[in-house]
Amino acid sequence: MPEPFKNLINPATVRSLAERMAETGRFQKDAFVGDATDGLEDLELKDRIRHIAAALDRHLDDDYELALDHVLKSLPPEAGEDEAIGTGFATWAFCQFVETYGQDHLELSVAAMYEITKRFSCEFAIRPYIAAEPQRLLEVLRTWAHDENVHVRRLVSEGSRPRLPWGMGLKIFQHDPEPVIALLDLLKDDPSEYVRRSVANSLNDIAKDHPDKVVEVAKRWMTNAPPERKRLVKHALRSLIKNGHSGALELFGYGAPDISVQFQLTNKRVELGDSVEFEVDVTCKSDQSLLLDYAVHHMKANGKLTPKVFKWTTRKVSAGDVLSLTRKHAMKVVTTRKYYAGTHKIELLINGQSFGEEEFELYLP
């Protein structure tokens, strides 16, 4: 099993941070290390970062401006163009320090995040500032969208995501995504794949609240789009495509299917750890593109069924073609799902439309 992510924030991380701080100003590194590591290993990832940031606050100057100056002097070298911005985990504590203690000093803190982000992304730290002063921060982000540093440009899209995982939600943008879309417009043809992938993830966030709006943006962006932008749009629409949104599917050539279908399970009694198998025969009545997926409707503790869509295959077909396909889906134990005995379903989805459901019984050992 892989090492838990939280273990990247450990006593050695704290000591490396303390040594940098001691090199650039008056700092009682041993006292800080003792304070910051006390109870550290009992905490989860983000609580570890908050714990270290709180220790920084206790051991730095009481004057925020002087404390921040000490932090900035202690920054490691900038991350390279192709270097993952999350490798210097000790620097995350600096982001958290600015997030927690700097909101009464907006200009100083925003300028600090600009520098810190070149080493470790302030995508979490900047969000309370955006929520408190959206217009001022949008103006800053518009300027940063043209910055020469790739990590600063990525902060524009990642920091403004309405639903950033692990980060506070930006309700103002969940309600009205237009300001974010305007920022993404500036970055959609960024030379860096790292930035473009962030743009796609932000659009995917927006699609959770405004699916039709995102399809409108995607259609506009697909006009005379270079290959890189086409890949961005496809990634941005991945959730809509998986969920069968007709507008998203049509944008990639998957219209209403002109077919007839036979669909059946080959086993209707499945033990946990085995596979449920099904067969599909598709008779094609015209030339078209087909996107075949399926949903497993899992039994929950309350007895209700909840679907999860799984990708399967895509085919370009001609009139008269007959596709004969089989699929096995393993009902194996995974850490992210708890199984319950009882009636489950397999649902066949073609171009986002349902072409039948078949039940099977899942038995637990």
Side-chain angles (χ1 to χ4, degrees):
M1 181 177 294
E3 185 79 3
F5 206 38
K6 66 180 180 181
N7 288 350
L8 293 169
I9 309 299
N10 54 49
T13 308
V14 173
R15 181 157 291 280
S16 71
L17 185 65
E19 289 172 353
R20 287 212 307 269
M21 300 296 291
E23 289 171 359
T24 56
R26 188 178 62 178
F27 193 73
Q28 296 181 344
K29 66 178 182 180
D30 291 335
F32 168 75
V33 170
D35 190 7
T37 56
D38 183 26
L40 182 71
E41 296 187 338
D42 296 330
L43 302 174
E44 296 303 316
L45 176 62
K46 291 199 75 176
D47 285 335
R48 292 188 183 200
I49 297 298
R50 295 185 186 101
H51 182 75
I52 296 169
L56 274 174
D57 181 60
R58 290 190 291 271
H59 290 269
L60 286 169
D61 199 289
D62 290 339
D63 184 306
Y64 177 74
E65 185 171 354
L66 294 176
L68 186 61
D69 182 65
H70 194 166
V71 164
L72 294 176
K73 288 178 179 176
S74 304
L75 289 174
E78 294 181 13
E81 186 84 6
D82 299 321
E83 186 176 348
I85 200 66
T87 54
F89 274 88
T91 309
W92 191 354
F94 291 157
C95 303
Q96 187 66 49
F97 176 79
V98 173
E99 177 181 348
T100 304
Y101 303 105
Q103 291 182 46
D104 291 335
H105 307 269
L106 187 142
E107 290 188 8
L108 281 174
S109 296
V110 169
M113 286 188 281
Y114 174 82
E115 292 300 330
I116 297 170
T117 275
K118 297 174 185 178
R119 287 89 174 166
F120 192 99
S121 177
C122 286
E123 62 202 55
F124 302 126
I126 201 169
R127 300 172 77 77
Y129 292 81
I130 295 173
E133 295 277 359
Q135 295 309 315
R136 290 178 70 180
L137 268 294
L138 284 168
E139 184 177 347
V140 170
L141 294 175
R142 282 191 289 270
T143 300
W144 287 358
H146 303 285
D147 198 85
E148 64 179 12
N149 186 282
V150 64
H151 303 299
V152 172
R153 298 196 308 274
R154 179 182 175 274
L155 178 60
V156 174
S157 52
E158 203 70 10
S160 64
R161 282 177 62 178
R163 296 180 177 274
L164 179 68
W166 294 5
M168 67 173 285
L170 293 175
K171 294 186 184 300
I172 186 173
F173 297 150
Q174 292 171 17
H175 175 69
D176 177 15
E178 290 294 346
V180 178
I181 292 170
L183 293 174
L184 302 181
D185 262 318
L186 299 175
L187 295 167
K188 66 180 181 297
D189 293 320
D190 193 276
S192 169
E193 172 69 17
Y194 181 51
V195 175
R196 296 195 304 272
R197 182 55 62 102
S198 175
V199 170
N201 289 336
S202 184
L203 266 189
N204 186 58
D205 275 4
I206 295 169
K208 295 170 184 175
D209 299 300
H210 304 276
D212 294 338
K213 169 63 69 176
V214 167
V215 171
E216 287 177 15
V217 173
K219 288 178 179 178
R220 174 164 57 84
W221 285 9
M222 286 292 281
T223 303
N224 300 319
E228 294 81 5
R229 198 195 306 164
K230 290 179 180 178
R231 286 196 297 272
L232 183 162
V233 170
K234 188 171 184 179
H235 190 63
L237 297 186
R238 64 191 184 277
S239 294
L240 293 182
I241 290 173
K242 190 173 184 179
N243 293 333
H245 188 284
S246 59
L249 288 164
E250 288 173 7
L251 191 58
F252 289 94
Y254 300 111
D258 185 18
I259 56 177
S260 60
V261 174
Q262 291 184 325
F263 166 50
Q264 64 181 7
L265 302 186
T266 58
N267 60 330
K268 296 197 173 187
R269 176 189 171 97
V270 180
E271 300 279 350
L272 183 63
D274 293 338
S275 297
V276 57
E277 302 180 28
F278 52 95
E279 299 175 345
V280 178
D281 292 311
V282 181
T283 301
C284 306
K285 300 178 181 180
S286 61
D287 298 351
Q288 58 198 297
S289 295
L290 299 179
L291 174 69
L292 288 89
D293 300 321
Y294 63 94
V296 180
H297 294 251
H298 295 96
M299 173 76 73
K300 308 301 287 184
N302 61 7
K304 295 183 179 179
L305 296 178
T306 301
K308 178 175 174 55
V309 176
F310 294 88
K311 306 305 294 179
W312 188 2
T313 188
T314 60
R315 299 294 174 92
K316 286 191 173 182
V317 297
S318 301
D321 286 352
V322 177
L323 301 178
S324 295
L325 305 170
T326 60
R327 180 77 172 186
K328 290 184 178 181
H329 180 85
M331 302 298 291
K332 62 183 180 182
V333 176
V334 292
T335 57
T336 55
R337 179 175 302 282
K338 182 175 177 62
Y339 287 98
Y340 297 91
T343 302
H344 291 54
K345 291 181 182 179
I346 296 286
E347 180 180 10
L348 178 65
L349 303 168
I350 303 178
N351 292 9
Q353 296 186 20
S354 177
F355 277 84
E357 299 177 350
E358 291 288 331
E359 294 182 347
F360 67 96
E361 294 295 318
L362 180 67
Y363 294 86
L364 304 187

